[in-house]
């Protein structure tokens, strides 16, 4: 659209200011949208506050989660005719004080900070699990293997600080290769199962309308999404941190194959950390993810968390043949019936469900806990995830649809116990 | 053909004339989209009337409705146009069509929805409904960018076809995946929410006018209450309407626990949800609803 912007004078200026405030609050508002907004307001007229609200809403909001933020920004910005003057002096500490005293509604804090030009929000304190110098038990391991070899099989829980740092470097190099899926889209191929009539006619025309050979096509391949749901409760914290490192590597390495990597953490409640995983620096990414998930190293409610995932996210992230990696020890004190129902629902909605359980490292692990007994029948594969080597092994088998890990053995054990 | 509505109020009246009770917010976006000739992108839960708005708009404006149902692997061949290969072969054989320009001409082109929408239609520019865009894959989304921002499509062998008058475009998505921002930026966006009690009652009255007042109120109140429950799939407006029709067909004049148990399948589509609500829970909700209504 190249039409000149309508003359709306101060209103246009105000809208531009408002857009800037929205941008600071985190809405993706570019200059193009500002121009659109001015045109839209000119078209809709400036009669009712409600219409004005929805007009700007139509232009500036493009995701449901932005609605609250928009609402708060709008309320703060247009509430007070004097507000523009306040805007002019938005660095004044007195105004900031007034804003801070009020009880913050959802999104209001971010909106207020954006409007008042406050410096970036203060980073919340690091969760206990993410501090670099977490106390670790040093163990005296025998040096019969090379250092890297030893580290590969060493339990994450028994690593020293230096060993953890080294293991993280090793994890960053690991990959999780994926088997592509058959797409329903076609592409040209010398030998393909399907005829490509369009190309055939074009080729024929080059030879004066004589069909000399038939052009063929075959299905293109496409890559599935990976969804990782990671337990960060107290019993899992060391593993989860390492697995999240691994996950960050998988999410950020180019050419791994996965179309998208979605990350979720849960302890007592479910948190989506996908956005944080995209941060290039792994420590910054995990710190941000940790700050968002408030339930590090707390209790576990697997059933309720999976129910939240099924209700709020499964339809949005499990389409297009996603593979789910569930990382938990399965020690859940809640109702096993709920857990069993929700894990079944999860299993039915995804292409493949792989359960990583660090407890499996123990010799003679048996599915005794009721949570484990409830979940085991509904997963496609059950594997250990306690060391660099086991994650490496995961990389080798994740694309193998037939791999069940230790599931079959444990199911037999369960059946024996029942008898 | 009727002219485009000139104000937000006019849009409300227009939609109401076809039995669609729109919220002020939705009427505003529809008005803006018509007035500024920009596509309208509607997202929301299933059954809140996203697809319906396109149908109603086409009927009210007297335009042709062209629908493109998206699915995985949707390609230019089934979205824009295809060549009639059999006819081309025959023409080449018969020596009628001389050379390239001969067989790659309009005569051998089979129109698909996107191309049809770019052509002038009786009654004015058509309403193009691109339904459930989230079901198509990302390459198709990229392909749509040209069609939606410049209202033109390109056929490699023929060239670019530009719409003389831009179609009214409505895109819907159920949000089974996130649609790319580049596409959203070219549209007006609106999240269609479940309606509040009064509006849902108005919708039900306009869609199922033969239902008795008390029954309608009970049905709407019950469904509204259900949406607050922890359900895997909350019932949409479509379910409310279906349910009211079911109850009418059964000659029900008042909700009772037995009736609800028998017809729950009309509003809840997952076994888990039905199980959760069967028996005591439904009776409890019904009692609360009846109490609130009196």
């Amino acid at each position: 659209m190249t039409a000149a912007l309508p003359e709306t004078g101060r209103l246009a200026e105000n809208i531009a200011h408002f857009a800037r405030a929205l941008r600071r609050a985190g809405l993706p508002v570019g200059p193009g949208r500002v121009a659109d907004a001015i045109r839209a307001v000119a078209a809709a007229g400036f009669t009712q506050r409600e219409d004005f609200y929805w007009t700007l809403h139509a232009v500036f909001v493009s995701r449901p989660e932005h609605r609250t933020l928009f609402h708060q920004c709008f309320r703060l910005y247009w509430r007070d005719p004097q507000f523009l003057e306040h805007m002019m002096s938005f660095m004044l500490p007195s105004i900031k004080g007034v804003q801070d005293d009020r009880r913050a509604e959802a999104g209001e804090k971010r909106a207020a900070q954006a409007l008042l030009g406050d410096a970036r929000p203060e980073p919340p304190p690091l969760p206990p699990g993410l501090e670099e110098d977490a106390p670790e038990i040093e163990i005296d391991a025998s040096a019969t293997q090379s250092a890297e070899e030893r580290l590969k099989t060493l339990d994450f829980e028994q690593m020293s600080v230096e060993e953890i740092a080294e293991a993280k470097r090793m994890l960053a190099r690991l990959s999780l290769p994926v088997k592509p899926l058959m797409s329903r889209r076609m592409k040209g191929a010398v030998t393909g199962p399907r005829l490509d009539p369009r190309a055939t006619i074009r080729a024929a025309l080059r030879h004066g309308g004589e069909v000399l050979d038939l052009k063929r096509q075959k299905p293109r391949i496409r890559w599935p999404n990976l969804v990782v749901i990671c337990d960060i409760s107290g019993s899992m914290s060391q593993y989860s941190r390492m697995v999240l490192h691994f996950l960050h590597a998988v999410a950020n390495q180019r050419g791994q194959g996965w179309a998208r990597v979605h990350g979720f953490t849960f302890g007592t409640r479910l948190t989506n950390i996908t956005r944080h995983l995209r941060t290039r620096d792994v420590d910054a990414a995990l710190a941000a993810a940790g700050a968002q998930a408030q339930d590090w190293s707390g209790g576990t409610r697997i059933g309720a968390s999976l129910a939240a995932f099924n209700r709020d996210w499964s339809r949005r992230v499990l389409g297009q043949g996603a593979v789910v990696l569930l990382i938990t020890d399965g020690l859940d004190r809640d109702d096993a019936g709920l857990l069993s129902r929700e894990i079944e629902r999860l299993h039915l909605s995804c292409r493949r469900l792989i359960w990583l359980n660090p407890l499996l490292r123990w010799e003679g692990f048996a599915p005794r806990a009721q949570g484990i007994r409830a979940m085991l029948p509904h997963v496609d594969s059950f594997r250990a995830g306690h060391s660099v080597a086991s994650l490496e092994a995961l990389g080798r088998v994740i694309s193998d649809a037939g791999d069940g890990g230790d599931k079959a053995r444990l199911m037999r054990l369960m059946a024996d116990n029942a008898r | 053909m009727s002219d485009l509505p000139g104000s937000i109020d006019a849009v409300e009246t227009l939609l109401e004339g076809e039995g669609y009770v729109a919220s002020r917010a939705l009427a505003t976006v529809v008005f803006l989209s018509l007035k500024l000739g920009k596509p309208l992108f509607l997202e929301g839960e299933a059954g809140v009337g996203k697809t319906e708005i396109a149908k109603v708009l086409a009927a009210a404006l007297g335009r042709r409705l062209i629908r493109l149902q998206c699915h995985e692997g949707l390609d230019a061949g089934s979205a824009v146009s295809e060549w009639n290969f059999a006819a081309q072969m025959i023409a080449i054989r018969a020596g009628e069509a001389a050379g390239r320009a001969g067989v790659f001409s309009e005569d051998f082109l089979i129109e698909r929805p996107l191309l049809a929408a770019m052509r002038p239609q009786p009654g004015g520019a058509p309403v193009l409904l691109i339904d459930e865009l989230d079901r198509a894959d990302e390459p198709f989304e990229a392909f749509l960018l040209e069609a939606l921002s410049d209202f033109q499509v390109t056929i490699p062998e023929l060239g670019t076809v530009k719409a003389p008058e831009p179609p009214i475009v409505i895109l819907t998505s159920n949000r089974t995946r996130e649609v790319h921002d580049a596409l959203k930026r070219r549209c007006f966006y609106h999240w269609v929410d479940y309606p509040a009690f009064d509006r849902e009652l108005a919708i039900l009255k306009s869609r199922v006018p033969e239902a008795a007042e008390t029954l309608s109120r009970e049905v709407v109140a019950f469904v509204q209450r259900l949406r607050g429950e922890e359900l895997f799939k909350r019932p949409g407006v479509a379910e409310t309407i279906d349910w009211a029709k079911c109850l009418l067909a059964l000659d029900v004049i008042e909700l009772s626990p037995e009736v609800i148990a028998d017809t729950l399948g009309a509003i809840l589509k997952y076994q888990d949800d039905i199980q959760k609500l069967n028996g005591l829970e439904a009776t409890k909700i019904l009692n609360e609803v009846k109490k609130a209504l009196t």
Side-chain angles (χ1 to χ4, degrees):
Chain A
M1 273 186 230
T2 50
L5 293 181
E7 280 295 324
T8 39
R10 267 193 76 117
L11 184 60
E13 208 174 286
N14 265 336
I15 292 174
H17 270 298
F18 178 56
R20 220 171 62 187
L22 287 177
R23 198 177 311 144
R24 298 184 76 130
L27 261 61
V29 175
R33 290 210 186 180
V34 178
D36 283 346
I38 296 172
R39 256 182 234 112
V41 169
F46 192 73
T47 45
Q48 279 184 46
R49 189 186 160 86
E50 196 194 346
D51 292 352
F52 183 60
Y53 177 92
W54 288 115
T55 304
L56 291 183
H57 190 278
V59 180
F60 287 133
V61 175
S62 55
R63 276 156 191 261
E65 53 267 29
H66 290 160
R67 288 178 300 167
T68 330
L69 216 51
F70 175 86
H71 180 79
Q72 294 295 359
C73 277
F74 186 91
R75 213 172 56 90
L76 284 174
Y77 190 96
W78 304 97
R79 169 181 57 182
D80 181 356
Q82 303 289 305
F83 205 82
L84 192 71
E85 278 155 46
H86 289 199
M87 281 288 297
M88 299 301 178
S89 52
F90 50 59
M91 287 306 193
L92 282 185
S94 59
I95 300 177
K96 210 172 85 188
V98 169
Q99 288 299 329
D100 285 349
D101 285 345
R102 302 188 40 229
R103 223 152 48 81
E105 279 178 50
E108 182 175 349
K109 200 162 167 215
R110 245 167 104 193
Q113 273 162 346
L115 283 170
L116 293 170
D118 193 350
R120 324 192 71 220
E122 295 228 345
L126 274 177
L130 281 178
E131 285 153 8
E132 265 315 304
D133 293 69
E136 297 298 337
I137 313 148
E138 288 259 11
I139 57 152
D140 181 26
S142 60
T144 45
Q145 298 161 294
S146 79
E148 184 152 308
E149 273 304 303
R150 191 182 65 85
L151 207 54
K152 263 191 176 177
T153 49
L154 190 58
D155 207 311
F156 290 144
E157 207 154 58
Q158 299 165 355
M159 288 181 179
S160 70
V161 178
E162 296 84 52
E163 282 168 335
I164 286 179
E166 179 55 34
K168 283 175 182 170
R169 272 193 289 283
M170 286 163 71
L171 281 180
R173 292 197 303 268
L174 274 190
S175 63
L176 201 54
V178 52
K179 198 160 111 186
L181 302 176
M182 203 78 99
S183 145
R184 302 186 61 179
R185 216 170 261 284
M186 307 298 277
K187 68 170 183 186
V190 179
T191 53
R194 248 173 68 169
L195 195 68
D196 184 353
R198 197 170 191 153
T200 306
I201 295 266
R202 267 202 300 245
L205 281 178
R206 280 197 287 276
H207 301 289
E210 205 61 51
V211 177
L212 293 180
D213 65 335
L214 298 174
K215 299 285 178 192
R216 305 197 149 266
Q217 54 186 186
K218 66 174 185 191
R220 274 175 199 275
I221 52 171
R222 65 178 185 83
W223 305 95
N225 293 347
L226 178 66
V227 177
V228 181
I229 309 174
C230 187
D231 187 341
I232 52 168
S233 61
S235 53
M236 288 285 295
S237 59
Q238 186 62 38
Y239 303 105
S240 333
R241 258 173 280 153
M242 295 313 261
V243 168
L244 286 181
H245 263 270
F246 175 51
L247 185 59
H248 181 266
V250 171
N252 285 281
Q253 259 175 48
R254 292 277 147 241
Q256 291 240 30
W258 301 101
R260 290 235 169 103
V261 178
H262 297 277
F264 294 85
T265 60
F266 71 89
T268 48
R269 65 189 182 83
L270 188 77
T271 314
N272 186 348
I273 57 162
T274 307
R275 190 165 296 224
H276 302 303
L277 286 178
R278 301 238 176 85
T279 312
R280 191 60 62 84
D281 182 74
V282 60
D283 291 318
L286 293 194
Q292 199 190 345
Q294 296 294 333
D295 45 357
W296 278 88
S297 313
T300 334
R301 294 179 59 215
I302 307 178
S305 303
L306 287 183
F309 176 82
N310 284 335
R311 191 182 62 238
D312 300 334
W313 292 99
S314 67
R315 271 172 289 220
R316 285 174 55 191
V317 300
L318 291 186
Q320 296 100 34
V323 175
V324 176
L325 203 56
L326 178 65
I327 302 153
T328 174
D329 51 14
L331 300 181
D332 180 51
R333 280 174 297 270
D334 273 1
D335 172 24
L338 172 74
L339 180 57
S340 157
R341 270 199 309 282
E342 295 302 335
I343 190 93
E344 186 182 9
R345 156 79 47 212
L346 178 65
H347 186 211
L348 290 174
S349 342
C350 69
R351 184 180 176 81
R352 204 163 140 67
L353 176 58
I354 300 168
W355 179 10
L356 288 191
N357 189 340
L359 291 183
L360 193 55
R361 71 189 185 277
W362 304 115
E363 202 60 43
F365 168 83
R368 288 208 195 86
Q370 57 166 359
I372 298 176
R373 300 173 68 95
M375 287 162 71
L376 196 57
H378 300 294
V379 298
D380 292 311
S381 177
F382 184 70
R383 305 193 64 84
H386 62 286
S387 63
V388 177
S390 64
L391 290 180
E392 222 173 41
L394 173 72
R396 284 196 297 274
V397 301
I398 194 165
S399 52
D400 178 5
D403 173 73
D406 286 302
K407 184 186 171 185
R409 180 175 65 84
L410 291 173
M411 289 296 282
R412 274 199 304 279
L413 251 177
M414 246 166 82
D416 288 348
N417 285 351
R419 238 183 281 135
Chain B
M1 164 191 175
S2 59
D3 287 329
L4 294 180
S7 70
I8 301 170
D9 297 315
V11 171
E12 273 187 326
T13 336
L14 186 79
L15 295 178
E16 225 155 287
E18 292 290 325
Y20 191 100
V21 186
S23 66
R24 186 76 181 174
L26 184 58
T28 308
V29 231
V30 170
F31 169 72
L32 286 174
S33 152
L34 292 178
K35 174 95 178 178
L36 299 176
K38 237 177 149 179
L40 178 57
F41 190 100
L42 298 177
E43 256 184 351
E45 302 291 337
V48 289
K50 299 186 296 293
T51 305
E52 197 62 23
I53 188 100
K55 294 184 187 164
V56 165
L57 211 54
L61 293 172
R63 310 289 181 95
R64 186 180 155 196
L65 176 70
I66 297 173
R67 179 174 179 159
L68 175 63
Q69 171 67 50
C70 295
H71 55 81
E72 201 207 314
L74 179 66
D75 56 0
S78 41
V80 182
S81 66
E82 237 170 339
W83 293 104
N84 186 347
F85 305 112
Q88 280 177 325
M89 288 300 261
I90 293 168
I92 292 173
R93 282 278 152 228
E96 282 167 4
R100 189 183 177 84
V103 290
F104 286 123
S105 69
E106 295 269 346
D107 300 342
F108 298 97
L109 200 60
I110 304 170
E111 261 182 22
R112 300 283 186 220
L114 272 184
L115 181 60
M118 299 299 157
R119 308 272 199 197
Q121 301 282 347
V127 175
L128 172 63
L129 168 64
I130 302 177
D131 210 7
E132 304 190 8
L133 180 64
D134 50 334
R135 286 178 187 270
D137 37 21
E138 278 166 44
F140 181 72
E141 239 173 74
F143 175 81
L144 268 185
L145 291 180
E146 185 196 12
L148 293 189
S149 58
D150 300 329
F151 299 108
Q152 63 180 35
V153 289
T154 304
I155 303 164
E157 295 89 348
L158 201 65
T160 302
V161 178
K162 192 164 170 52
E165 188 190 348
I168 299 165
V169 186
I170 294 177
L171 299 104
T172 74
S173 155
N174 283 331
R175 222 174 171 223
T176 59
R177 67 180 177 83
E178 212 59 74
V179 171
H180 200 278
D181 275 342
L183 190 74
K184 284 182 171 176
R185 207 164 49 74
R186 288 166 168 81
C187 309
F188 286 117
Y189 175 87
H190 185 65
W191 173 265
V192 187
D193 233 329
Y194 294 117
F197 179 83
D198 292 335
R199 199 156 67 78
E200 187 159 18
L201 190 61
I203 294 171
L204 192 60
K205 273 183 187 162
S206 106
R207 284 297 157 115
V208 195
E210 56 282 20
E213 172 76 20
T214 40
L215 182 66
S216 304
R217 292 181 77 87
E218 279 181 4
V219 164
V220 172
F222 190 82
V223 172
Q224 292 256 339
R225 183 67 175 54
L226 270 193
R227 291 196 189 119
E229 292 289 309
E230 290 252 318
L231 294 175
F232 184 64
K233 168 75 186 80
R234 293 185 287 172
V237 185
E239 275 78 30
T240 314
I241 296 172
D242 280 352
W243 196 32
K245 283 182 181 161
C246 289
L247 295 176
L248 262 187
L250 295 172
D251 291 327
V252 174
I253 41 170
E254 197 186 14
L255 284 184
S256 66
E258 298 78 45
V259 169
I260 292 177
D262 291 346
T263 55
L264 210 52
I267 36 174
L268 297 178
K269 306 292 165 74
Y270 283 87
Q271 182 54 31
D272 305 354
D273 290 348
I274 293 179
Q275 229 163 26
K276 196 169 189 173
L277 219 74
N278 247 338
L280 285 178
E281 189 69 20
T283 317
K284 201 181 99 204
I285 295 178
L286 183 64
N287 287 338
E288 283 175 25
V289 161
K290 289 205 170 183
K291 212 164 156 193
L293 279 179
T294 47

